[in-house]
Amino acid sequence: MSIRLAVEPLTPEAFRPFGTVIAPDPSTVRMINGGSTTRFHALAEAEALGPDAKVIISLFRGKPRRFPYQVDMMERHPLGSQSFSPLGHHPFLVVVAEDHGGTPATPRVFRAEGGQGVNYRPNVWHHPLMALGEETDFLVVDRDGPGNNLEEYSYPALFVIEEATP
Ligand SMILES: NC(=O)N[C@@H](O)C(=O)O
Ligand code: NI
């Protein structure tokens, strides 16, 4: 028997326990380059912890997930943050969970609209990238360096996302 997960809209307030929503926030605007460019300054902070750690920038090409989708595992990166920003206005799903004594609680599912990205703080439980509808490229800023930066957990119960419209 699977437990059905609701899909919530992604808002900065709802996502605050997990990290930051990366989106054009008017309160961060700095006009630069003689007024030809609008800078949305310091929307999130990339963190790379530990000796010889560095922040890197990658592209992820995510294949769309099919639904109903079973969320049977989560992961986290204890040594660094991880951000996902879709190139082009594509929606995607963000699945995160609070930590309960070293394991993830029931997942929460957020739908990121086109123009929204997310930055997971270090050690935040999340499901690997979930593109919606079509293959989507994402700009990913996270950590590289020595040490184990990946912890995974398999849920004993099965959670299901019934559907998510692209
Ligand atoms: N493995 C990898 O780099 N990606 C995952 O961490 C992810 O969150 O998609
Ligand atoms: Ni990850």
Side-chain angles (χ1 to χ4, degrees), residues 66-120:
R66 301 287 176 225
F67 297 87
Y69 184 85
Q70 289 196 344
V71 178
D72 59 7
M73 64 79 65
M74 298 283 267
E75 64 172 34
R76 63 181 177 178
H77 309 297
L79 300 177
S81 60
Q82 187 173 51
S83 78
F84 293 89
S85 296
L87 300 182
H89 273 59
H90 291 284
F92 66 108
L93 289 190
V94 176
V95 183
V96 288
E98 304 260 8
D99 181 62
H100 277 183
T103 60
T106 300
R108 288 181 68 181
V109 183
F110 294 100
R111 178 192 163 93
E113 295 303 338
Q116 289 183 308
V118 291
N119 185 52
Y120 302 129

